[in-house]
Protein backbone atom coordinates (compact mmCIF):
# COMPACT_ATOMS: atom_id res chain seq x y z
CA UNK A 1 0.00 0.00 0.00
CA UNK A 2 1.71 3.08 -1.35
CA UNK A 3 0.34 5.47 1.29
CA UNK A 4 1.70 3.38 4.17
CA UNK A 5 5.10 2.85 2.51
CA UNK A 6 5.41 6.61 1.97
CA UNK A 7 4.50 7.27 5.61
CA UNK A 8 7.08 4.73 6.81
CA UNK A 9 9.78 6.28 4.58
CA UNK A 10 8.89 9.79 5.78
CA UNK A 11 8.27 9.25 9.49
CA UNK A 12 9.70 5.82 10.37
CA UNK A 13 13.08 5.67 12.10
CA UNK A 14 15.40 2.70 11.57
CA UNK A 15 16.78 2.01 15.06
CA UNK A 16 18.76 -1.14 14.22
CA UNK A 17 18.89 -3.60 11.32
CA UNK A 18 15.71 -5.19 12.63
CA UNK A 19 13.84 -2.56 14.65
CA UNK A 20 11.79 0.17 13.04
CA UNK A 21 10.35 2.94 15.18
CA UNK A 22 6.91 4.08 14.05
CA UNK A 23 5.63 5.62 17.26
CA UNK A 24 4.75 8.94 15.60
CA UNK A 25 1.88 7.38 13.61
CA UNK A 26 1.28 3.70 14.47
CA UNK A 27 2.02 2.50 17.97
CA UNK A 28 2.07 5.51 20.27
CA UNK A 29 0.67 8.58 18.52
CA UNK A 30 -1.90 7.27 16.01
CA UNK A 31 -2.70 8.60 12.54
CA UNK A 32 -6.37 7.64 12.47
CA UNK A 33 -6.92 8.89 8.90
CA UNK A 34 -4.14 6.52 7.79
CA UNK A 35 -5.71 3.70 9.85
CA UNK A 36 -8.96 4.31 7.98
CA UNK A 37 -7.23 3.88 4.62
CA UNK A 38 -5.50 0.73 5.89
CA UNK A 39 -8.85 -0.67 7.00
CA UNK A 40 -10.32 0.01 3.54
CA UNK A 41 -7.41 -1.82 1.94
CA UNK A 42 -7.87 -4.91 4.18
CA UNK A 43 -11.59 -4.83 3.35
CA UNK A 44 -10.73 -4.79 -0.37
CA UNK A 45 -8.17 -7.59 -0.03
CA UNK A 46 -10.44 -9.85 2.06
CA UNK A 47 -13.69 -8.97 0.24
CA UNK A 48 -14.31 -12.63 -0.71
CA UNK A 49 -14.00 -13.93 2.88
CA UNK A 50 -16.99 -14.43 5.23
CA UNK A 51 -15.37 -12.54 8.12
CA UNK A 52 -17.61 -12.02 11.15
CA UNK A 53 -14.99 -11.12 13.79
CA UNK A 54 -11.64 -9.38 14.11
CA UNK A 55 -9.06 -10.55 16.63
CA UNK A 56 -5.97 -8.63 17.68
CA UNK A 57 -3.64 -8.46 20.68
CA UNK A 58 -3.09 -5.62 23.09
CA UNK A 59 -1.78 -3.00 22.92
CA UNK A 60 -0.72 -1.70 19.52
CA UNK A 61 -3.04 -3.87 17.44
CA UNK A 62 -6.17 -2.38 19.01
CA UNK A 63 -6.29 0.97 17.16
CA UNK A 64 -5.95 -0.48 13.66
CA UNK A 65 -8.27 -3.38 14.51
CA UNK A 66 -11.02 -0.93 15.61
CA UNK A 67 -10.93 0.87 12.27
CA UNK A 68 -10.97 -2.50 10.49
CA UNK A 69 -13.96 -3.52 12.62
CA UNK A 70 -15.85 -0.41 11.47
CA UNK A 71 -14.99 -1.11 7.84
CA UNK A 72 -16.04 -4.79 7.98
CA UNK A 73 -19.01 -4.06 10.26
CA UNK A 74 -17.99 -6.77 12.74
CA UNK A 75 -16.98 -6.92 16.44
CA UNK A 76 -13.35 -6.53 17.46
CA UNK A 77 -11.85 -8.69 20.21
CA UNK A 78 -8.40 -8.14 21.65
CA UNK A 79 -6.44 -10.89 23.33
CA UNK A 80 -5.17 -9.82 26.75
CA UNK A 81 -1.66 -10.33 28.03
CA UNK A 82 -2.26 -11.78 31.46
CA UNK A 83 0.08 -10.91 34.32
CA UNK A 84 -1.18 -13.60 36.66
CA UNK A 85 -0.29 -17.25 36.22
CA UNK A 86 -3.39 -18.06 38.30
CA UNK A 87 -5.90 -17.64 35.48
CA UNK A 88 -9.63 -17.87 36.01
CA UNK A 89 -11.70 -20.42 34.06
CA UNK A 90 -13.80 -19.66 30.99
CA UNK A 91 -10.80 -18.49 29.00
CA UNK A 92 -8.96 -19.70 25.92
CA UNK A 93 -5.27 -19.46 26.76
CA UNK A 94 -1.95 -19.66 25.02
CA UNK A 95 1.60 -18.42 25.43
CA UNK A 96 3.31 -15.98 23.10
CA UNK A 97 7.04 -15.49 23.05
CA UNK A 98 8.17 -12.01 22.04
CA UNK A 99 11.65 -11.95 20.58
CA UNK A 100 11.58 -8.18 20.33
CA UNK A 101 10.71 -7.71 24.00
CA UNK A 102 12.52 -10.87 25.19
CA UNK A 103 9.50 -12.09 27.18
CA UNK A 104 6.88 -14.81 27.15
CA UNK A 105 3.30 -13.77 27.84
CA UNK A 106 0.24 -15.76 28.86
CA UNK A 107 -2.47 -14.57 26.48
CA UNK A 108 -6.19 -15.01 27.07
CA UNK A 109 -9.56 -14.47 25.42
CA UNK A 110 -12.85 -15.10 27.19
CA UNK A 111 -14.81 -18.09 25.88
CA UNK A 112 -17.74 -15.67 25.56
CA UNK A 113 -16.07 -13.86 22.66
CA UNK A 114 -14.77 -16.64 20.39
CA UNK A 115 -16.80 -19.59 19.14
CA UNK A 116 -16.99 -22.32 16.50
CA UNK A 117 -19.20 -20.02 14.38
CA UNK A 118 -16.49 -17.40 14.08
CA UNK A 119 -14.67 -16.65 10.82
CA UNK A 120 -11.84 -14.52 12.08
CA UNK A 121 -9.53 -11.95 10.53
CA UNK A 122 -6.42 -11.51 12.68
CA UNK A 123 -5.02 -7.96 12.64
CA UNK A 124 -1.72 -6.73 14.08
CA UNK A 125 0.69 -3.84 13.65
CA UNK A 126 3.93 -5.80 13.13
CA UNK A 127 4.72 -9.28 11.85
CA UNK A 128 8.26 -10.38 12.61
CA UNK A 129 8.81 -14.02 13.54
CA UNK A 130 5.10 -14.76 13.63
CA UNK A 131 4.80 -15.71 17.30
CA UNK A 132 1.91 -13.35 18.00
CA UNK A 133 -0.04 -14.47 14.92
CA UNK A 134 0.56 -18.15 15.70
CA UNK A 135 -0.68 -17.62 19.26
CA UNK A 136 -3.80 -15.79 18.06
CA UNK A 137 -4.51 -18.58 15.53
CA UNK A 138 -4.22 -21.11 18.34
CA UNK A 139 -6.86 -19.20 20.35
CA UNK A 140 -9.27 -19.23 17.37
CA UNK A 141 -8.68 -22.95 16.82
CA UNK A 142 -9.23 -23.68 20.53
CA UNK A 143 -12.70 -22.19 20.09
CA UNK A 144 -13.31 -24.32 16.98
CA UNK A 145 -13.39 -21.17 14.82
CA UNK A 146 -11.90 -20.55 11.38
CA UNK A 147 -9.02 -18.21 10.61
CA UNK A 148 -9.92 -16.53 7.32
CA UNK A 149 -6.69 -14.61 7.11
CA UNK A 150 -4.18 -12.28 8.68
CA UNK A 151 -3.96 -8.53 8.04
CA UNK A 152 -0.72 -6.85 9.05
CA UNK A 153 0.38 -3.23 8.83
CA UNK A 154 4.16 -3.74 8.63
CA UNK A 155 5.76 -7.12 7.94
CA UNK A 156 9.50 -7.46 8.40
CA UNK A 157 10.01 -9.92 5.54
CA UNK A 158 13.61 -10.62 6.53
CA UNK A 159 12.43 -12.19 9.82
CA UNK A 160 10.50 -14.85 7.93
CA UNK A 161 7.29 -15.12 9.96
CA UNK A 162 4.98 -14.01 7.15
CA UNK A 163 6.40 -16.32 4.49
CA UNK A 164 6.34 -19.29 6.91
CA UNK A 165 2.61 -18.68 7.44
CA UNK A 166 2.01 -18.35 3.67
CA UNK A 167 3.84 -21.64 3.09
CA UNK A 168 1.35 -23.26 5.47
CA UNK A 169 -1.48 -21.94 3.28
CA UNK A 170 -2.53 -19.08 5.52
CA UNK A 171 -3.58 -15.94 3.74
CA UNK A 172 -1.40 -13.09 5.00
CA UNK A 173 -1.96 -9.59 3.61
CA UNK A 174 0.67 -7.16 4.82
CA UNK A 175 0.24 -3.57 3.68
CA UNK A 176 4.00 -2.94 3.66
CA UNK A 177 6.72 -5.59 3.63
CA UNK A 178 10.24 -4.48 4.52
CA UNK A 179 13.03 -6.59 3.02
CA UNK A 180 15.87 -4.70 4.68
CA UNK A 181 16.67 -1.60 6.69
CA UNK A 182 19.95 0.21 7.19
CA UNK A 183 20.35 2.07 10.51
CA UNK A 184 23.36 4.03 9.20
CA UNK A 185 21.69 5.52 6.12
CA UNK A 186 18.03 5.06 7.15
CA UNK A 187 17.54 3.31 3.81
CA UNK A 188 14.58 0.92 3.56
CA UNK A 189 13.84 -1.65 0.86
CA UNK A 190 10.22 -2.75 0.42
CA UNK A 191 9.02 -5.93 -1.31
CA UNK A 192 7.09 -4.97 -4.46
CA UNK A 193 3.42 -5.83 -4.02
CA UNK A 194 0.95 -6.56 -6.82
CA UNK A 195 -2.05 -5.30 -4.88
CA UNK A 196 -0.63 -1.85 -4.14
CA UNK A 197 -3.15 0.97 -4.32
P1 LIG B 1 6.35 -11.83 16.30
O1 LIG B 1 5.12 -11.79 17.14
O2 LIG B 1 6.03 -11.63 14.82
O3 LIG B 1 7.15 -13.07 16.51
O4 LIG B 1 7.26 -10.61 16.65
P2 LIG B 1 8.04 -10.24 17.97
O5 LIG B 1 7.78 -11.23 19.05
O6 LIG B 1 9.43 -9.97 17.58
O7 LIG B 1 7.32 -8.87 18.30
C1 LIG B 1 6.65 -8.70 19.47
C2 LIG B 1 6.28 -7.28 19.74
O8 LIG B 1 7.25 -6.36 19.23
C3 LIG B 1 5.00 -6.82 19.17
O9 LIG B 1 4.47 -5.92 20.09
C4 LIG B 1 5.40 -6.08 17.91
O10 LIG B 1 4.42 -5.16 17.55
C5 LIG B 1 6.67 -5.45 18.31
N1 LIG B 1 7.61 -5.25 17.23
C6 LIG B 1 8.22 -6.21 16.50
N2 LIG B 1 9.08 -5.66 15.64
C7 LIG B 1 9.00 -4.32 15.83
C8 LIG B 1 9.66 -3.22 15.21
O11 LIG B 1 10.51 -3.33 14.32
N3 LIG B 1 9.31 -1.99 15.68
C9 LIG B 1 8.39 -1.80 16.66
N4 LIG B 1 8.10 -0.56 17.01
N5 LIG B 1 7.76 -2.83 17.28
C10 LIG B 1 8.07 -4.07 16.84
P3 LIG B 1 3.55 -6.43 21.23
O12 LIG B 1 4.17 -7.51 22.04
O13 LIG B 1 2.25 -6.81 20.59
O14 LIG B 1 3.42 -5.26 22.19
P4 LIG B 1 2.73 -3.87 21.98
O15 LIG B 1 3.81 -2.97 21.53
O16 LIG B 1 1.68 -4.05 20.94
O17 LIG B 1 2.17 -3.57 23.31
Amino acid sequence: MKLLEEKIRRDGVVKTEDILKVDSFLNHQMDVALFEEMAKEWKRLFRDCPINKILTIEASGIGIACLAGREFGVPVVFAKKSKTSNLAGGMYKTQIQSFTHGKTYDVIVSEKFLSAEDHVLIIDDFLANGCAVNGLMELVHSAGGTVEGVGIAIEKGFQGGGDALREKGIRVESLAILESMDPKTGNMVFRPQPQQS
Side-chain angles (χ1 to χ4, degrees):
M1 184 190 180
K2 275 258 173 319
L3 190 65
L4 179 60
E5 287 187 7
E6 282 164 12
K7 186 77 174 170
I8 296 167
R9 281 194 197 284
R10 196 166 57 239
D11 295 338
V13 179
V14 181
K15 298 300 278 183
T16 66
E17 273 173 12
D18 50 20
I19 295 291
L20 175 71
K21 212 163 155 61
V22 285
D23 60 353
S24 66
F25 64 95
L26 185 59
N27 54 20
H28 195 154
Q29 178 168 259
M30 297 182 285
D31 183 339
V32 180
L34 174 66
F35 288 10
E36 219 172 329
E37 294 307 312
M38 291 162 58
K40 284 183 191 157
E41 184 63 359
W42 282 315
K43 176 76 172 124
R44 188 183 73 79
L45 292 164
F46 289 103
R47 62 190 174 280
D48 54 336
C49 298
I51 289 158
N52 69 345
K53 193 158 285 181
I54 287 177
L55 178 66
T56 188
I57 180 164
E58 66 176 339
S60 309
I62 296 175
I64 49 176
C66 285
L67 274 289
R70 274 292 282 270
E71 197 59 37
F72 282 82
V74 302
V76 177
V77 176
F78 68 91
K80 295 187 176 194
K81 292 172 183 162
S82 170
K83 284 158 204 80
T84 58
S85 53
N86 184 17
L87 295 170
M91 302 280 181
Y92 298 114
K93 302 159 199 155
T94 190
Q95 285 202 322
I96 293 179
Q97 196 187 351
S98 167
F99 291 102
T100 305
H101 297 310
K103 285 187 205 162
T104 299
Y105 301 96
D106 287 317
V107 174
I108 55 169
V109 170
S110 167
E111 287 176 6
K112 286 185 286 186
F113 305 127
L114 273 182
S115 78
E117 281 77 55
D118 284 330
H119 289 258
V120 177
L121 174 63
I122 291 171
I123 293 279
D124 209 358
D125 58 340
F126 272 95
L127 174 56
N129 301 289
C131 295
V133 169
N134 278 307
L136 293 173
M137 289 194 347
E138 203 180 311
L139 293 172
V140 176
H141 293 149
S142 304
T146 306
V147 175
E148 290 290 335
V150 178
I152 297 292
I154 306 174
E155 176 178 336
K156 294 186 290 182
F158 53 88
Q159 288 184 264
D163 289 334
L165 290 165
R166 292 183 186 99
E167 275 161 29
K168 284 197 253 170
I170 295 146
R171 184 155 170 203
V172 181
E173 299 286 4
S174 300
L175 303 184
I177 305 181
L178 272 161
E179 290 297 12
S180 65
M181 311 187 286
D182 186 338
K184 288 199 193 85
T185 60
N187 196 39
M188 302 171 196
V189 177
F190 289 94
R191 184 180 300 180
Q193 293 194 76
Q195 79 275 22
Q196 280 184 347
S197 57

PDB file of all heavy atoms in Angstrom, residues 1 7 20 27 33 41 53 58 66 106 109 120 122 135 145 148 150 172 174 191 194:
ATOM      1  N   MET A   1       0.859  -1.180   0.000  1.00  0.00           N
ATOM      2  CA  MET A   1       0.000   0.000   0.000  1.00  0.00           C
ATOM      3  C   MET A   1       0.900   1.236   0.000  1.00  0.00           C
ATOM      4  O   MET A   1       1.628   1.477   0.975  1.00  0.00           O
ATOM      5  CB  MET A   1      -0.880  -0.028   1.263  1.00  0.00           C
ATOM      6  CG  MET A   1      -1.874   1.089   1.348  1.00  0.00           C
ATOM      7  SD  MET A   1      -2.636   1.099   3.006  1.00  0.00           S
ATOM      8  CE  MET A   1      -3.728   2.487   2.839  1.00  0.00           C
ATOM      9  N   LYS A   7       4.509   6.804   4.206  1.00  0.00           N
ATOM     10  CA  LYS A   7       4.500   7.266   5.608  1.00  0.00           C
ATOM     11  C   LYS A   7       5.694   6.667   6.362  1.00  0.00           C
ATOM     12  O   LYS A   7       6.358   7.357   7.144  1.00  0.00           O
ATOM     13  CB  LYS A   7       3.170   6.839   6.252  1.00  0.00           C
ATOM     14  CG  LYS A   7       2.962   7.366   7.634  1.00  0.00           C
ATOM     15  CD  LYS A   7       2.568   8.819   7.630  1.00  0.00           C
ATOM     16  CE  LYS A   7       2.211   9.309   9.024  1.00  0.00           C
ATOM     17  NZ  LYS A   7       2.068  10.770   9.059  1.00  0.00           N
ATOM     18  N   LEU A  20      12.272  -1.058  13.660  1.00  0.00           N
ATOM     19  CA  LEU A  20      11.786   0.172  13.037  1.00  0.00           C
ATOM     20  C   LEU A  20      10.898   0.903  14.041  1.00  0.00           C
ATOM     21  O   LEU A  20       9.978   0.296  14.603  1.00  0.00           O
ATOM     22  CB  LEU A  20      10.947  -0.207  11.806  1.00  0.00           C
ATOM     23  CG  LEU A  20      10.256   0.935  11.081  1.00  0.00           C
ATOM     24  CD1 LEU A  20      11.278   1.795  10.332  1.00  0.00           C
ATOM     25  CD2 LEU A  20       9.219   0.387  10.109  1.00  0.00           C
ATOM     26  N   ASN A  27       2.188   3.186  16.679  1.00  0.00           N
ATOM     27  CA  ASN A  27       2.022   2.504  17.968  1.00  0.00           C
ATOM     28  C   ASN A  27       2.295   3.330  19.218  1.00  0.00           C
ATOM     29  O   ASN A  27       2.571   2.780  20.280  1.00  0.00           O
ATOM     30  CB  ASN A  27       2.761   1.159  17.987  1.00  0.00           C
ATOM     31  CG  ASN A  27       4.213   1.283  17.626  1.00  0.00           C
ATOM     32  OD1 ASN A  27       4.766   2.369  17.711  1.00  0.00           O
ATOM     33  ND2 ASN A  27       4.834   0.186  17.222  1.00  0.00           N
ATOM     34  N   ALA A  33      -6.528   8.809  10.324  1.00  0.00           N
ATOM     35  CA  ALA A  33      -6.920   8.885   8.899  1.00  0.00           C
ATOM     36  C   ALA A  33      -6.176   7.816   8.102  1.00  0.00           C
ATOM     37  O   ALA A  33      -6.737   7.170   7.214  1.00  0.00           O
ATOM     38  CB  ALA A  33      -6.617  10.278   8.352  1.00  0.00           C
ATOM     39  N   GLU A  41      -8.234  -0.926   2.763  1.00  0.00           N
ATOM     40  CA  GLU A  41      -7.411  -1.823   1.941  1.00  0.00           C
ATOM     41  C   GLU A  41      -7.589  -3.278   2.386  1.00  0.00           C
ATOM     42  O   GLU A  41      -7.729  -4.182   1.558  1.00  0.00           O
ATOM     43  CB  GLU A  41      -5.937  -1.379   2.017  1.00  0.00           C
ATOM     44  CG  GLU A  41      -4.977  -2.164   1.150  1.00  0.00           C
ATOM     45  CD  GLU A  41      -5.223  -2.059  -0.358  1.00  0.00           C
ATOM     46  OE1 GLU A  41      -6.174  -1.384  -0.782  1.00  0.00           O
ATOM     47  OE2 GLU A  41      -4.463  -2.698  -1.109  1.00  0.00           O
ATOM     48  N   LYS A  53     -15.649 -11.589  12.561  1.00  0.00           N
ATOM     49  CA  LYS A  53     -14.994 -11.116  13.792  1.00  0.00           C
ATOM     50  C   LYS A  53     -13.540 -10.752  13.492  1.00  0.00           C
ATOM     51  O   LYS A  53     -12.904 -11.378  12.631  1.00  0.00           O
ATOM     52  CB  LYS A  53     -15.034 -12.215  14.860  1.00  0.00           C
ATOM     53  CG  LYS A  53     -14.673 -11.724  16.237  1.00  0.00           C
ATOM     54  CD  LYS A  53     -15.210 -12.621  17.325  1.00  0.00           C
ATOM     55  CE  LYS A  53     -16.699 -12.452  17.523  1.00  0.00           C
ATOM     56  NZ  LYS A  53     -17.233 -13.292  18.598  1.00  0.00           N
ATOM     57  N   GLU A  58      -3.455  -6.906  22.525  1.00  0.00           N
ATOM     58  CA  GLU A  58      -3.087  -5.616  23.088  1.00  0.00           C
ATOM     59  C   GLU A  58      -1.562  -5.443  23.030  1.00  0.00           C
ATOM     60  O   GLU A  58      -0.851  -6.432  23.032  1.00  0.00           O
ATOM     61  CB  GLU A  58      -3.604  -5.498  24.532  1.00  0.00           C
ATOM     62  CG  GLU A  58      -2.959  -6.448  25.515  1.00  0.00           C
ATOM     63  CD  GLU A  58      -3.459  -6.211  26.954  1.00  0.00           C
ATOM     64  OE1 GLU A  58      -3.960  -5.120  27.253  1.00  0.00           O
ATOM     65  OE2 GLU A  58      -3.314  -7.121  27.766  1.00  0.00           O
ATOM     66  N   CYS A  66      -9.731  -1.637  15.453  1.00  0.00           N
ATOM     67  CA  CYS A  66     -11.017  -0.934  15.611  1.00  0.00           C
ATOM     68  C   CYS A  66     -11.477  -0.339  14.283  1.00  0.00           C
ATOM     69  O   CYS A  66     -12.647  -0.444  13.922  1.00  0.00           O
ATOM     70  CB  CYS A  66     -10.896   0.181  16.645  1.00  0.00           C
ATOM     71  SG  CYS A  66     -10.862  -0.454  18.311  1.00  0.00           S
ATOM     72  N   ASP A 106       1.475 -14.988  28.913  1.00  0.00           N
ATOM     73  CA  ASP A 106       0.237 -15.755  28.858  1.00  0.00           C
ATOM     74  C   ASP A 106      -0.775 -14.848  28.188  1.00  0.00           C
ATOM     75  O   ASP A 106      -0.878 -13.670  28.539  1.00  0.00           O
ATOM     76  CB  ASP A 106      -0.267 -16.081  30.270  1.00  0.00           C
ATOM     77  CG  ASP A 106       0.595 -17.141  30.929  1.00  0.00           C
ATOM     78  OD1 ASP A 106       0.947 -18.109  30.242  1.00  0.00           O
ATOM     79  OD2 ASP A 106       0.917 -16.983  32.123  1.00  0.00           O
ATOM     80  N   VAL A 109      -8.313 -15.051  25.941  1.00  0.00           N
ATOM     81  CA  VAL A 109      -9.564 -14.475  25.419  1.00  0.00           C
ATOM     82  C   VAL A 109     -10.704 -15.209  26.107  1.00  0.00           C
ATOM     83  O   VAL A 109     -10.670 -16.446  26.217  1.00  0.00           O
ATOM     84  CB  VAL A 109      -9.687 -14.642  23.883  1.00  0.00           C
ATOM     85  CG1 VAL A 109     -11.088 -14.262  23.402  1.00  0.00           C
ATOM     86  CG2 VAL A 109      -8.671 -13.801  23.138  1.00  0.00           C
ATOM     87  N   VAL A 120     -12.607 -15.605  11.450  1.00  0.00           N
ATOM     88  CA  VAL A 120     -11.839 -14.524  12.075  1.00  0.00           C
ATOM     89  C   VAL A 120     -10.756 -13.972  11.143  1.00  0.00           C
ATOM     90  O   VAL A 120     -10.042 -14.724  10.485  1.00  0.00           O
ATOM     91  CB  VAL A 120     -11.176 -15.062  13.371  1.00  0.00           C
ATOM     92  CG1 VAL A 120     -10.309 -14.001  14.029  1.00  0.00           C
ATOM     93  CG2 VAL A 120     -12.246 -15.560  14.347  1.00  0.00           C
ATOM     94  N   ILE A 122      -7.392 -11.937  11.668  1.00  0.00           N
ATOM     95  CA  ILE A 122      -6.417 -11.511  12.682  1.00  0.00           C
ATOM     96  C   ILE A 122      -5.718 -10.253  12.164  1.00  0.00           C
ATOM     97  O   ILE A 122      -5.272 -10.223  11.017  1.00  0.00           O
ATOM     98  CB  ILE A 122      -5.400 -12.646  12.947  1.00  0.00           C
ATOM     99  CG1 ILE A 122      -6.108 -13.812  13.657  1.00  0.00           C
ATOM    100  CG2 ILE A 122      -4.201 -12.145  13.752  1.00  0.00           C
ATOM    101  CD1 ILE A 122      -5.273 -15.069  13.780  1.00  0.00           C
ATOM    102  N   GLY A 135       0.056 -17.527  17.988  1.00  0.00           N
ATOM    103  CA  GLY A 135      -0.679 -17.615  19.257  1.00  0.00           C
ATOM    104  C   GLY A 135      -2.150 -17.256  19.072  1.00  0.00           C
ATOM    105  O   GLY A 135      -3.035 -17.929  19.593  1.00  0.00           O
ATOM    106  N   GLY A 145     -13.124 -22.157  15.877  1.00  0.00           N
ATOM    107  CA  GLY A 145     -13.385 -21.174  14.819  1.00  0.00           C
ATOM    108  C   GLY A 145     -12.440 -21.331  13.632  1.00  0.00           C
ATOM    109  O   GLY A 145     -11.538 -22.177  13.641  1.00  0.00           O
ATOM    110  N   GLU A 148      -9.761 -16.849   8.749  1.00  0.00           N
ATOM    111  CA  GLU A 148      -9.918 -16.534   7.322  1.00  0.00           C
ATOM    112  C   GLU A 148      -8.646 -15.918   6.752  1.00  0.00           C
ATOM    113  O   GLU A 148      -8.382 -16.039   5.561  1.00  0.00           O
ATOM    114  CB  GLU A 148     -11.092 -15.561   7.122  1.00  0.00           C
ATOM    115  CG  GLU A 148     -12.448 -16.195   7.384  1.00  0.00           C
ATOM    116  CD  GLU A 148     -12.838 -17.219   6.317  1.00  0.00           C
ATOM    117  OE1 GLU A 148     -12.345 -17.120   5.178  1.00  0.00           O
ATOM    118  OE2 GLU A 148     -13.627 -18.122   6.636  1.00  0.00           O
ATOM    119  N   VAL A 150      -4.955 -13.116   7.763  1.00  0.00           N
ATOM    120  CA  VAL A 150      -4.176 -12.280   8.677  1.00  0.00           C
ATOM    121  C   VAL A 150      -3.884 -10.958   7.959  1.00  0.00           C
ATOM    122  O   VAL A 150      -3.357 -10.966   6.844  1.00  0.00           O
ATOM    123  CB  VAL A 150      -2.843 -12.984   9.042  1.00  0.00           C
ATOM    124  CG1 VAL A 150      -1.997 -12.107   9.955  1.00  0.00           C
ATOM    125  CG2 VAL A 150      -3.095 -14.353   9.673  1.00  0.00           C
ATOM    126  N   VAL A 172      -1.967 -14.223   4.243  1.00  0.00           N
ATOM    127  CA  VAL A 172      -1.401 -13.089   4.996  1.00  0.00           C
ATOM    128  C   VAL A 172      -1.323 -11.895   4.056  1.00  0.00           C
ATOM    129  O   VAL A 172      -0.691 -11.979   3.005  1.00  0.00           O
ATOM    130  CB  VAL A 172       0.017 -13.416   5.522  1.00  0.00           C
ATOM    131  CG1 VAL A 172       0.581 -12.244   6.322  1.00  0.00           C
ATOM    132  CG2 VAL A 172       0.019 -14.684   6.363  1.00  0.00           C
ATOM    133  N   SER A 174      -0.059  -8.213   4.116  1.00  0.00           N
ATOM    134  CA  SER A 174       0.671  -7.156   4.825  1.00  0.00           C
ATOM    135  C   SER A 174       0.693  -5.924   3.937  1.00  0.00           C
ATOM    136  O   SER A 174       0.994  -6.028   2.738  1.00  0.00           O
ATOM    137  CB  SER A 174       2.099  -7.618   5.119  1.00  0.00           C
ATOM    138  OG  SER A 174       2.061  -8.769   5.930  1.00  0.00           O
ATOM    139  N   ARG A 191       9.352  -4.892  -0.315  1.00  0.00           N
ATOM    140  CA  ARG A 191       9.020  -5.926  -1.308  1.00  0.00           C
ATOM    141  C   ARG A 191       7.946  -5.353  -2.234  1.00  0.00           C
ATOM    142  O   ARG A 191       6.950  -4.810  -1.745  1.00  0.00           O
ATOM    143  CB  ARG A 191       8.477  -7.173  -0.592  1.00  0.00           C
ATOM    144  CG  ARG A 191       8.204  -8.332  -1.517  1.00  0.00           C
ATOM    145  CD  ARG A 191       7.656  -9.541  -0.757  1.00  0.00           C
ATOM    146  NE  ARG A 191       8.557 -10.054   0.266  1.00  0.00           N
ATOM    147  CZ  ARG A 191       8.289 -11.105   1.048  1.00  0.00           C
ATOM    148  NH1 ARG A 191       7.126 -11.766   0.911  1.00  0.00           N
ATOM    149  NH2 ARG A 191       9.146 -11.511   1.961  1.00  0.00           N
ATOM    150  N   PRO A 194       1.861  -6.687  -5.677  1.00  0.00           N
ATOM    151  CA  PRO A 194       0.945  -6.555  -6.820  1.00  0.00           C
ATOM    152  C   PRO A 194      -0.310  -5.773  -6.489  1.00  0.00           C
ATOM    153  O   PRO A 194      -0.862  -5.085  -7.323  1.00  0.00           O
ATOM    154  CB  PRO A 194       0.594  -8.008  -7.182  1.00  0.00           C
ATOM    155  CG  PRO A 194       0.970  -8.823  -5.978  1.00  0.00           C
ATOM    156  CD  PRO A 194       2.038  -8.067  -5.261  1.00  0.00           C
TER     157      PRO A 194
END
